Amino acid sequence: YHHTGPISMVYALHEALALISEEGLEARTKRHLKHGAALQTGLEAMGLALHAQKGYRLSTLTTVRIPARVDDLRVRQALLNKWNIEIGGGLGPLKGQIWRIGLMGHGSTAENVLLVLTALEKQLTDEGYSLTPGAGVSAAAASLGE
């Protein structure tokens, strides 16, 4: 019946708000800012360019430009199939030009930041992209204070 409210979404919202309340809004915000900054630092240390200008970047969703001669779909499929990591491709005019990497909610952890950078480094190396091994992970770990 088309007038019935999506009750499962109401329950999901309730649970999400309970998790936020339990962690504390300020602590949750700081965690997302810390992990987003570490990811962005690591990506830049790998020689990758972030798409959004400084001052307009999000901690929960990082857009990174796909290097020339790197196959967008092949890298994303390898990340998913080999590492169980899903990153989004660009939409509309940015299709094939950027990747969208989300760090949201319980997925925003130091371990996930380091895992994404490790996996992306491996897949980029397989594509022939030249980078300093471990540079992204090292920079991110330093940013995280680890």
Side-chain angles (χ1 to χ4, degrees):
Y1 182 66
H2 68 280
H3 290 297
T4 301
I7 195 65
S8 59
M9 289 177 57
V10 174
Y11 283 123
L13 176 61
H14 180 270
E15 182 61 21
L17 293 172
L19 291 171
I20 291 169
S21 179
E22 182 179 307
E23 182 178 2
L25 188 56
E26 187 175 335
R28 191 173 188 90
T29 300
K30 285 181 181 178
R31 176 171 57 87
H32 281 81
L33 290 171
K34 178 181 179 179
H35 296 146
L39 175 65
Q40 293 169 13
T41 297
L43 292 167
E44 290 182 318
M46 293 169 63
L48 298 171
L50 300 182
H51 179 70
Q53 296 175 6
K54 265 192 175 180
Y56 294 94
R57 296 176 182 160
L58 302 173
S59 58
T60 55
L61 182 66
T62 297
T63 52
V64 58
R65 294 183 190 198
I66 301 169
R69 296 177 301 282
V70 169
D71 187 293
D72 167 33
L73 189 56
R74 189 167 47 227
V75 169
R76 289 191 296 119
Q77 285 178 335
L79 289 172
L80 183 58
N81 296 331
K82 296 178 183 178
W83 299 85
N84 200 29
I85 296 171
E86 186 172 11
I87 64 172
L91 303 172
L94 294 175
K95 184 177 183 177
Q97 296 182 34
I98 65 165
W99 289 314
R100 296 173 297 121
I101 304 172
L103 284 175
M104 300 173 207
H106 70 274
S108 180
T109 66
E111 294 80 14
N112 282 344
V113 168
L114 301 178
L115 176 62
V116 166
L117 292 170
T118 298
L120 190 55
E121 177 184 309
K122 169 68 172 113
Q123 297 316 133
L124 286 172
T125 301
D126 288 354
E127 287 284 314
Y129 179 74
S130 179
L131 53 82
T132 303
V137 170
S138 295
S143 176
L144 291 164
E146 297 182 1

